[in-house]
Amino acid sequence: MRVEDFKIQWFPGHMTKAKRMMEAQIKLVDVVVEMLDARIPRSSTNPMLQNVLGAKPKVIALNKIDMADTAKTELWLEKLKHSGLPVCKIDCATGKGVKQLISAIQLAAKPVIDKWLKKGVRNRPVRVMIVGIPNVGKSTLINRLVGKNKVMAADKPGVTRGQQWVTIAKGLELLDTPGVLWPKFEDPSVGFALAATGAIKEDVFDRQDAVQLLLDFLLQKYPEALASKYAVTVEEGETAQSVMAKIATARGCLKAGGMLDLDKVDQLVLRDFRSGRLGRFTVDEP
Ligand code: G4P
């Protein structure tokens, strides 16, 4: 199994619908926050967002930094900053970095406010929405930002029923429903990154293939993580198959008759990787 052969079953129909919704929602806002998963900043971005955005200001929120490789997160930050984008690292699970994100949104909104002022428009709130692929942490961030302000929310025209603008800071209103983006499924390495981190459901890819690629990745980049988590020895030139057998033995993953239960190892490794129990990893190289 090579990463080039990894396949995701995906449905272009969903993409068309998501794009239409996104275009309608983006018209309503002044600043967009694109949320990326710090473990997969390249794979969790949306290839078409920029076209839909045009010149609208965008801030990048690199989320789940608690699960990513710290050194690589810094490299990604540098890389993104270098390309001229405002970027903040956040951890929505604890709220770390959320204040800085608000400041970055306010800064990105400054040209918009200045333009309004020139036209004599004062005290108009800047409208913000959060966009990102599924499972990146959009709802968690919205809940954090909205928090106690929810009671102040009021229905305003121009938004689909059920959606509300909520004041999250002085002069900033957030759309309480996130924009859902589709990732670039066509690229097999992106598909693998999404499968490994749990951005996509298991019914659209082959778990065995994903775990084999994941073990190849860990053996190459983070062999000590496997060794310490499962108390196995990882030799020079170790293969995914051989390390699987070692994990099965160490963890007592056996079928009736004493055969190794490799399905169980697949489930175990994927669960441990996604939950962070195996360690902190960045799959996409900066
Ligand atoms: P979404 O709206 O973009 O689809 O994502 P959502 O907020 O539902 O978050 C998806 C999962 O990611 C949630 O886990 C959430 O708690 C977790 N999450 C969000 N931000 C962070 C973060 O900064 N760090 C960590 N470690 N986790 C974060 P969940 O409810 O347990 O869902 P699941 O794990 O069962 O998918």
Side-chain angles (χ1 to χ4, degrees):
M1 179 76 197
R2 296 170 317 154
V3 77
E4 301 85 77
D5 301 323
F6 190 73
K7 287 202 178 61
I8 299 285
Q9 291 172 279
W10 67 288
F11 308 99
H14 293 175
M15 185 181 105
T16 314
K17 190 169 164 233
K19 181 163 184 262
R20 231 180 283 131
M21 270 184 72
M22 178 70 46
E23 281 167 344
Q25 285 175 315
I26 281 176
K27 285 202 185 106
L28 307 170
V29 303
D30 307 302
V31 179
V32 166
V33 175
E34 184 185 17
M35 196 176 224
L36 302 180
D37 184 324
R39 297 169 297 172
I40 51 168
R42 186 178 302 114
S43 304
S44 58
T45 192
N46 174 278
M48 253 138 104
L49 178 64
Q50 212 45 54
N51 299 345
V52 181
L53 276 187
K56 207 155 272 194
K58 177 172 93 168
V59 176
I60 293 184
L62 208 52
N63 190 37
K64 306 201 184 184
I65 51 161
D66 57 312
M67 301 182 90
D69 180 325
T70 315
K72 291 200 174 154
T73 298
E74 292 310 313
L75 293 174
W76 268 111
L77 276 174
E78 280 312 306
K79 190 183 163 87
L80 291 165
K81 276 185 194 155
H82 199 71
S83 60
L85 291 168
V87 49
C88 292
K89 49 177 184 177
I90 60 173
D91 164 5
C92 286
T94 63
K96 208 166 134 193
V98 172
K99 267 202 192 122
Q100 287 87 333
L101 177 64
I102 296 216
S103 306
I105 297 171
Q106 282 166 328
L107 196 64
K110 185 121 191 332
V112 179
I113 298 171
D114 289 346
K115 212 163 82 189
W116 290 343
L117 283 176
K118 274 200 195 123
K119 289 193 209 157
V121 180
R122 277 170 199 284
N123 298 325
R124 175 167 159 185
V126 168
R127 290 185 157 183
V128 186
M129 95 185 255
I130 297 174
V131 305
I133 65 164
N135 234 9
V136 75
K138 301 179 296 299
S139 313
T140 312
L141 176 61
I142 291 174
N143 287 336
R144 254 189 200 281
L145 290 172
V146 170
K148 59 182 182 336
N149 296 327
K150 189 131 201 175
V151 285
M152 290 154 44
D155 268 318
K156 288 187 188 167
V159 184
T160 314
R161 239 169 62 132
Q163 296 183 333
Q164 293 185 321
W165 296 105
V166 186
T167 303
I168 53 164
K170 193 166 180 289
L172 277 193
E173 283 188 357
L174 177 74
L175 187 61
D176 73 352
T177 319
V180 182
L181 299 173
W182 61 98
K184 199 174 169 222
F185 286 123
E186 305 89 327
D187 178 338
S189 69
V190 169
F192 161 66
L194 297 167
T197 52
I200 47 178
K201 292 206 187 90
E202 289 198 21
D203 49 7
V204 296
F205 64 89
D206 185 292
R207 187 166 57 207
Q208 203 179 332
D209 288 348
V211 172
Q212 193 227 295
L213 292 173
L214 179 57
L215 288 171
D216 287 341
F217 162 78
L218 291 169
L219 285 170
Q220 203 195 337
K221 300 271 168 68
Y222 302 94
E224 69 294 343
L226 286 172
S228 72
K229 172 73 187 164
Y230 300 115
V232 293
T233 53
V234 175
E235 322 278 348
E236 189 77 24
E238 185 91 42
T239 63
Q241 270 88 353
S242 63
V243 83
M244 271 196 95
K246 287 180 183 175
I247 297 171
T249 310
R251 284 302 171 97
C253 300
L254 300 173
K255 288 196 255 199
M259 294 259 290
L260 297 179
D261 189 347
L262 298 181
D263 266 353
K264 213 165 185 176
V265 179
D266 283 340
Q267 288 173 37
L268 182 76
V269 171
L270 204 53
R271 206 174 52 222
D272 287 344
F273 182 81
R274 288 174 166 189
S275 65
R277 280 193 292 265
L278 203 47
R280 300 171 63 141
F281 308 104
T282 299
V283 179
D284 286 345
E285 278 300 326

